[in-house]
Amino acid sequence: MAEKLDLSTLESWLWDSANILRGSIDSSDFKNYIFGLLFLKRVNDVFEEEVESIMKTEKVSRAQAESDTFFKLPDVARWEYLKSITENVGIALDKAFAAIEESNAKLRIDGVLTATKFGDKEKLSDPTLMRLLRHFNEHSLRNEDLYTPDLLGDAYEYLIKQFADDAGKKGGEFYTPRGVVKLLVQLVKPQPGNKVYDPTCGSGGMLIEAARYIAEQPGGLVGKNINVSLFGQEKNLGTWAIAKLNMLLHNYVEANLEKGDTLIEPKHQQNGELMLFDRVIANPPFSQDKWWTIAEANIPKKVGKDGKEKEVALNYNKVVVDKYGRFQYGIPPRGYADLAFLQHMLSVLKQDGKMAVVLPHGTLFRGGTEGEIRRKLIEGDLIEGIIGLPSALFYNTGIPASVWILSKCKPHEFAKKVIVIDASGDFEEGKNQNELGDRQIERIVNSYSSSCDIDKYMRIIPVAELNENNYNVNISRYFDSSEKVEEFDLFQIQMELKAIAEREVKIDAKLSSLLEKLGI
């Protein structure tokens, strides 16, 4: 019996596939091609496994078994056929992916596999694609050949992180560091039966971590299925496709991921109104500017004194008209979408729900419209806690960020209070950026749940004190970071110095006497 494929072997094998592409395409695009081929090999192997199982258990022909499989695999997408092609390999792959999407409409994967085009020979030559197919042919991805059922999902997460590392700043567009994801999930504590939503879901990591957390709770599993409903929206088409594949490889077939701009066109609606969720978690793009793209598309121009045309500065208080009424606490400025995302999340949160969002540190203290929004949120007793994170955690910025936890129905003991934690020192030094490890996450979560002040680390601050500071929640303002100065008894020190001086006089006299006796 062949040895089952373990995670380290799988990770190494998959990363080697990326090395085949080096020199052909930009490293930030590796993921789009590798993930597609990984999915293609996986569905081929699982399809064959299911066909054989049906034939054996139901004693039917292969044709009948193929018609009874959950996932449909057209002839043009069969692995044996594709790996035999020597010319126009990319075009054949594009046809294979299109046929899979068309044959599996129930999975709602239209546009997922065809988001990446393999047929451009200027990017990928036939020899390169043939080499890739041979590489992917080295291992079986059948369930029976994997060390654990979740192996593919774990390997996929590994690849997403590796590609984010490789892409540098661009990696932040689709990947939130695992430690930050785990922290947010453990702070909001999703429960079995919850509807969990991420309005800027990237590659889907937060939703998957929420499902993983629920699976470990009593009642978290119903048979082999996790008792959760997952919802997300992503603006970037390529990233949305990755998220869909991520869900499929983790067996979250029912996950509802939509593509589009959440601020302009939120897709999750019921009867013309926004859906509500039990838990809402997100890491939106930091300080996105020109975020109300409807107005930005047709900016009027005027001729300046120098005779040149210039864009008219948009007044977002006038041009932002949201039919869903999400921005009731104020319209964020043109240059900072942070509190627009927060208000969207708050508007879709159930009355007894909880949300956590990662925002840049500036949202804690910037004035103007943002200061007014912050004031209204605090006075409305909607902010449950704020956690200051270490710097250099994220791929796309070195600045520190903060986690905001909001609830429409805060625990009684926290009424008119805000939990503030200074976790700026809670990190492990990584190769490219700092990391939140399990030990740091545990400290933050346990402190947050302790309901008591911790010297120089956590305070439960009355809203009245925030009011005195003009609702500036810059964390350093609320913690005394100075080192305690040791107190000295000056009189005692003076007496000790006097005694030392007297001993020195006696020693000098004794030394002089000895020298005199020696005739020196």
Side-chain angles (χ1 to χ4, degrees), residues 217-500:
Q217 309 306 312
L221 292 174
V222 179
K224 293 184 178 180
N225 297 318
I226 300 175
N227 187 12
V228 64
S229 300
L230 302 177
F231 300 83
Q233 186 165 336
E234 172 54 41
K235 182 178 180 179
N236 183 286
L237 177 61
T239 305
W240 168 80
I242 290 172
K244 290 284 286 188
L245 291 178
N246 201 2
M247 293 296 163
L248 291 172
L249 289 172
H250 277 89
N251 298 317
Y252 301 133
V253 178
E254 301 298 326
N256 185 335
L257 303 188
E258 300 287 352
K259 54 180 178 289
D261 187 332
T262 302
L263 294 179
I264 301 300
E265 190 180 7
K267 295 291 183 68
H268 295 95
Q269 301 183 32
Q270 283 181 327
N271 303 320
E273 296 185 355
L274 297 178
M275 290 178 65
L276 300 180
F277 304 94
D278 301 284
R279 297 291 186 271
V280 183
I281 46 180
N283 174 25
F286 284 3
S287 301
Q288 178 182 325
D289 68 344
K290 301 179 181 179
W291 52 272
W292 196 251
T293 53
I294 298 173
E296 297 289 347
N298 297 294
I299 302 176
K301 295 183 179 180
K302 65 178 181 180
V303 178
K305 292 181 179 180
D306 56 1
K308 296 180 180 179
E309 278 194 342
K310 297 180 180 179
E311 290 184 349
V312 176
L314 291 180
N315 182 343
Y316 264 40
N317 282 319
K318 292 182 179 180
V319 301
V320 176
V321 181
D322 178 45
K323 64 181 180 180
Y324 304 102
R326 292 170 292 174
F327 309 129
Q328 56 181 298
Y329 299 98
I331 306 296
R334 186 187 188 196
Y336 301 103
D338 308 304
L339 296 183
F341 283 110
L342 181 147
Q343 289 186 83
H344 166 75
M345 294 170 69
L346 189 61
S347 70
V348 298
L349 185 67
K350 287 184 178 180
Q351 194 63 30
D352 59 350
K354 185 176 285 191
M355 60 169 273
V357 57
V358 182
L359 298 177
H361 221 62
T363 55
L364 300 177
F365 54 81
R366 287 196 294 251
T369 306
E370 289 182 298
E372 271 299 292
I373 296 171
R374 194 169 56 245
R375 176 185 69 79
K376 291 176 183 177
L377 291 170
I378 293 172
E379 288 184 343
D381 214 17
L382 293 164
I383 301 177
E384 183 179 297
I386 290 175
I387 299 166
L389 296 176
S391 58
L393 281 180
F394 300 90
Y395 287 92
N396 50 351
T397 180
I399 64 172
S402 57
V403 176
W404 294 46
I405 301 97
L406 281 78
S407 171
K408 294 180 179 178
C409 189
K410 288 165 62 173
H412 178 72
E413 62 268 28
F414 296 131
K416 295 298 178 181
K417 299 174 183 175
V418 176
I419 302 170
V420 177
I421 293 178
D422 179 8
S424 58
D426 286 334
F427 65 88
E428 297 174 356
E429 290 188 7
K431 181 181 178 182
N432 297 314
Q433 68 270 331
N434 294 328
E435 297 176 358
L436 276 180
D438 289 341
R439 184 170 58 85
Q440 289 82 25
I441 295 169
E442 183 178 6
R443 183 190 185 199
I444 296 169
V445 173
N446 288 346
S447 299
Y448 191 87
S449 304
S450 68
S451 303
C452 60
D453 288 358
I454 301 172
D455 186 41
K456 296 184 180 180
Y457 187 72
M458 178 175 125
R459 284 193 60 202
I460 301 174
I461 303 175
V463 167
E465 184 177 344
L466 297 174
N467 183 9
E468 290 172 4
N469 285 289
N470 200 28
Y471 300 97
N472 182 325
V473 197
N474 193 358
I475 291 174
S476 60
R477 180 183 290 255
Y478 297 93
F479 292 91
D480 178 13
S481 59
S482 60
E483 294 295 326
K484 186 176 180 180
V485 179
E486 186 179 351
E487 295 183 0
F488 297 99
D489 187 334
L490 292 178
F491 178 76
Q492 178 66 27
I493 293 172
Q494 199 172 27
M495 294 301 291
E496 290 176 357
L497 288 173
K498 184 178 179 182
I500 291 170

Side-chain angles (χ1 to χ4, degrees), residues 83-95:
K83 72 177 186 179
S84 69
I85 297 175
T86 57
E87 293 183 354
N88 298 321
V89 182
I91 293 173
L93 286 169
D94 287 338
K95 290 179 179 178

Side-chain angles (χ1 to χ4, degrees), residues 7-138:
L7 184 59
S8 61
T9 302
L10 181 58
E11 288 175 348
S12 177
W13 174 56
L14 291 174
W15 187 242
D16 284 344
S17 66
N19 290 329
I20 294 173
L21 291 174
R22 293 193 188 279
S24 298
I25 57 175
D26 189 274
S27 62
S28 62
D29 292 329
F30 285 176
K31 60 185 181 302
N32 302 322
Y33 297 93
I34 298 303
F35 290 152
L37 290 175
L38 172 62
F39 182 77
L40 181 62
K41 180 63 162 63
R42 167 69 169 170
V43 296
N44 263 275
D45 288 352
V46 172
F47 176 80
E48 285 299 319
E49 186 177 38
E50 187 178 1
V51 167
E52 290 172 12
S53 175
I54 294 172
M55 290 173 63
K56 182 177 180 180
T57 56
E58 299 183 17
K59 310 297 182 185
V60 296
S61 67
R62 181 177 180 88
Q64 180 61 48
E66 288 188 5
S67 67
D68 291 343
T69 57
F70 174 77
F71 189 92
K72 306 305 177 187
L73 194 64
D75 290 342
V76 294
R78 302 290 172 93
W79 190 257
E80 291 301 316
Y81 164 70
L82 290 169
K83 72 177 186 179
S84 69
I85 297 175
T86 57
E87 293 183 354
N88 298 321
V89 182
I91 293 173
L93 286 169
D94 287 338
K95 290 179 179 178
F97 287 128
I100 289 175
E101 288 183 359
E102 186 178 347
S103 302
N104 293 275
K106 62 184 177 183
L107 294 181
R108 301 177 72 240
I109 57 173
D110 184 45
V112 173
L113 302 170
T114 52
T116 300
K117 304 302 180 186
F118 285 78
D120 185 349
K121 287 191 176 184
E122 291 187 5
K123 286 186 175 181
L124 292 173
S125 65
D126 284 337
T128 298
L129 286 173
M130 290 169 65
R131 186 181 169 197
L132 267 177
L133 289 169
R134 286 197 303 272
H135 181 77
F136 272 95
N137 198 53
E138 289 178 7

